[in-house]
Amino acid sequence: MAELNEIYNTKLLELAAHMPRSERLTAPDASVTAHSRLCGSTVTIDLNLRDGMVADYGQTVKACLLGQAACAIVGAHIVGASAAEVRAAAADMRAMLKENGPAPGGRFAELSVLEPVRHYKARHGSVLLVFDALEQAIDEIEQANGASAGSGAASASA
């Protein structure tokens, strides 16, 4: 089992201390708040997508060091990412934590610093909050765009 100082290290402290994109957006395409009942962490994200790519992003983070570090890494690298890249990073993070899979690659490769968290199941929720919020926001935007475009999806019942 990993030691606590392995997950609470200087790199994570530095990431949390310099939270990028910590301002809310004035006109987001979607805003989502994710909350962990287990640890009390809350992440609110604002997202703008243009042509399937992240055009702008803002976040408010009230989380433990691990959740803050995940949000800091995402905030530093998300603008310019495709919705597919964000979803892949979320899937990779879940697999990394829950199934001992590899860390995300590409623009989100820095998330590998959170690999030791896999040994602390109680901390998984806080690390994954930002991804839960992002996936919900992307879904909302895509659904709204599909509905507003009137694109043949005839049975768009709620």
Side-chain angles (χ1 to χ4, degrees):
M1 176 97 35
E3 293 185 32
L4 280 178
N5 63 359
E6 186 180 12
I7 62 172
Y8 294 105
N9 60 51
T10 304
K11 174 67 174 166
L12 296 182
L13 289 168
E14 290 171 3
L15 285 166
H18 302 289
M19 183 71 61
R21 302 201 164 269
S22 59
E23 299 291 323
R24 299 289 306 271
L25 301 183
T26 55
D29 295 333
S31 292
V32 173
T33 297
H35 177 76
S36 171
R37 286 180 270 154
L38 181 62
C39 69
S41 294
T42 301
V43 173
T44 301
I45 62 111
D46 296 327
L47 186 66
N48 284 335
L49 289 181
R50 297 295 173 265
D51 300 321
M53 305 294 276
V54 176
D56 206 358
Y57 177 78
Q59 60 188 350
T60 302
V61 180
K62 293 183 171 107
C64 68
L65 175 67
L66 301 171
Q68 289 176 39
C71 289
I73 293 167
V74 167
H77 302 288
I78 193 164
V79 172
S82 68
E85 283 179 286
V86 174
R87 284 188 175 115
D92 290 347
M93 281 300 290
R94 286 185 186 93
M96 179 185 85
L97 293 175
K98 297 176 184 296
E99 302 162 12
N100 292 325
R107 73 173 58 240
F108 295 107
E110 190 177 8
L111 288 164
S112 66
V113 68
L114 293 164
E115 275 186 280
V117 177
R118 70 171 42 126
H119 301 290
Y120 298 92
K121 291 184 189 314
R123 303 292 190 252
H124 292 182
S126 184
V127 170
L128 294 172
L129 275 182
V130 66
F131 296 102
D132 295 342
L134 277 166
E135 288 177 314
Q136 184 178 337
I138 290 169
D139 288 347
E140 287 179 12
I141 294 167
E142 289 177 345
Q143 288 173 0
N145 288 343
S148 67
S151 62
S155 66
S157 60

